[in-house]
Amino acid sequence: MKSTQIIRVTPPHLPANTDPSDVVLSQVFNANLASQEASGTADAAVSVERTLHGLRPGPQSEPHMFALIAREPGETEDYLDVPAQSDDRNFDYLGYLTVTLPLRENTDTAEVAVTLDAGLAPLPGEELSPEAVKALRRLYQLAADVAREHGRGTLQAGLMTSPSIGVDGDPRVRLMRELGFELAYQGGEYLVELGELPAAPLPEGIAATAFEGVSPPEPLVDGFLELLRIASTDVPHGSLRAEPANWSRERLAEVAAHSARLGSQLVNVVLFDAYGPVGFSYASRHPGSNPAVAEQDLTVIHPRARRQGLGTAIKAILWRELRARHPEVKRVCTFVSDDNAAMRAINAKLGATLTAIETVWQKRV
């Protein structure tokens, strides 16, 4: 009878996000397979390059990756540590765990992502096998152990579910509740075809500027940082434990350097009036990802400038700018909380289609 063992994946050691080890390739394949089965599209697939970059400790977070493997009777070799790069050893994988520790805010939190290997993962609507339940229990217990080891008292674990079965039809949800997790956030992944975009007139006194990278033009930086601070608490995030983000010029420079190392392409739009920035939205493209798809993660409007149609306008302006700079982009994948009624209405107006349900489950440990 086979036994199981946890292996720890050590951070990338090469300068470039290349030469992934077999364990990283397997995790990426299975995570993308699960995402595609939930959403019906591969547009939100995460590349190997992006995954390797995400395993590098940075100024914002500290990642830890593990895999659960099956062992043959009599095997004695110790596989405790496996490097993220340049290791071709193939194991009998059962599942994968990534625990990300925020370093600036929410330092009591551990963010958890668990993926079953394809051999154990159920299709949408199917029940979990006893072997899958056992693997998930082991991985979530490991997540709690890692959190406690690093002084974290809250687990936040994400799931992606097909709209065809809904949250209550997902067998993993029943297990999460058995393990003591509570639903803290629900939102959607949406896909927008960049066809004919609506007109985006701006009110008198408000203008738009577009830029690439992370930092806006110098005269807008301080107001831009204020928008980021507003977004950290103002954008609906359910009942997730969250703290305001303390954005500074130094922090912005750190994020810019970390992003440049990955080689992502960011297209941003800032709206501003005579007093400074009043709106911000951005889209990103990452190495190794589908070149026809961009991601949009954040749109924020300053409270003093709301109820003027700026949310719709800034998205339309951004998508036009994205298409002009990167004509190969045909679709945008965007994410929004179910509690954000205003942004959901904007997305609907722009033709967004729900592709998957995203939930985050929270537990004290």
Side-chain angles (χ1 to χ4, degrees):
M1 183 176 182
K2 290 186 177 182
S3 60
T4 60
Q5 182 177 350
I6 296 291
I7 60 175
R8 180 175 54 206
V9 182
T10 59
H13 62 281
L14 300 177
N17 296 313
T18 57
D19 195 19
S21 293
D22 183 78
V23 63
V24 173
L25 289 172
S26 296
Q27 189 277 337
V28 171
F29 171 82
N30 284 281
N32 285 333
L33 180 63
S35 172
Q36 185 172 347
E37 288 179 345
S39 66
T41 174
D43 282 349
V46 176
S47 67
V48 171
E49 294 92 331
R50 188 176 177 185
T51 298
L52 282 172
H53 184 73
L55 293 176
R56 298 181 187 273
Q60 306 293 318
S61 62
E62 177 184 305
H64 299 265
M65 181 179 173
F66 305 86
L68 177 65
I69 63 172
R71 301 290 300 274
E72 294 291 344
E75 280 190 309
T76 58
E77 185 176 354
D78 186 2
Y79 297 130
L80 180 60
D81 286 345
V82 174
Q85 293 175 297
S86 307
D87 193 312
D88 294 332
R89 285 177 294 174
N90 178 271
F91 302 100
D92 187 1
Y93 302 109
L94 302 175
Y96 314 86
L97 166 69
T98 302
V99 179
T100 303
L101 307 176
L103 299 179
R104 291 297 183 86
E105 295 83 30
N106 306 317
T107 54
D108 185 53
T109 298
E111 300 168 358
V112 176
V114 169
T115 303
L116 284 173
D117 198 76
L120 293 182
L123 294 172
E126 290 185 351
E127 293 298 319
L128 292 167
S129 68
E131 294 79 10
V133 171
K134 184 177 180 181
L136 288 172
R137 287 183 178 275
R138 180 84 184 274
L139 290 166
Y140 281 117
Q141 181 58 55
L142 175 61
D145 293 342
V146 172
R148 282 191 288 263
E149 178 185 346
H150 290 86
R152 307 299 171 110
T154 302
L155 294 183
Q156 293 178 348
L159 294 179
M160 181 176 287
T161 301
S162 170
S164 66
I165 63 172
V167 173
D168 290 334
D170 189 332
R172 297 170 300 170
V173 166
R174 294 192 288 276
L175 178 61
M176 297 297 280
R177 289 181 170 134
E178 288 178 19
L179 294 174
F181 285 90
E182 295 182 351
L183 180 62
Y185 170 88
Q186 183 167 324
E189 172 192 283
Y190 293 82
L191 199 62
V192 182
E193 296 284 345
L194 292 185
E196 190 69 27
L197 294 172
L202 293 172
E204 184 176 352
I206 294 180
T209 186
F211 63 95
E212 296 190 5
V214 172
S215 299
E218 172 59 32
L220 300 177
V221 170
D222 290 336
F224 177 74
L225 294 172
E226 181 186 6
L227 283 175
L228 294 180
R229 288 190 287 267
I230 290 170
S232 69
T233 56
D234 199 52
V235 174
H237 53 269
S239 58
L240 291 172
R241 297 168 64 93
E243 300 169 355
N246 182 23
W247 281 93
S248 65
R249 287 173 175 261
E250 292 74 20
R251 182 172 183 175
L252 192 65
E254 289 178 351
V255 172
H258 195 62
S259 176
R261 187 173 185 180
L262 173 59
S264 296
Q265 297 173 323
L266 276 67
V267 177
N268 313 261
V269 169
V270 170
L271 303 182
F272 60 95
D273 61 14
Y275 303 99
V278 296
F280 167 60
S281 189
Y282 80 97
S284 57
R285 304 170 71 231
H286 305 285
S289 298
N290 186 343
V293 181
E295 293 181 15
Q296 184 175 24
D297 296 323
L298 175 65
T299 299
V300 58
I301 304 298
H302 198 288
R304 65 181 170 83
R306 291 176 183 168
R307 294 180 175 83
Q308 301 183 71
L310 296 185
T312 302
I314 195 171
K315 280 204 166 193
I317 293 169
L318 172 66
W319 294 349
R320 282 197 179 90
E321 195 69 34
L322 178 66
R323 192 162 54 185
R325 294 172 185 250
H326 303 286
E328 66 275 21
V329 174
K330 306 300 181 186
R331 298 179 297 283
V332 171
C333 184
T334 187
F335 311 87
V336 63
S337 167
D338 283 2
D339 294 334
N340 196 340
M343 191 55 64
R344 289 174 64 195
I346 290 170
N347 282 346
K349 183 177 180 179
L350 294 171
T353 301
L354 177 68
T355 54
I357 300 170
E358 290 190 317
T359 53
V360 181
W361 300 78
Q362 192 163 258
K363 175 184 178 179
R364 294 290 294 171
V365 295

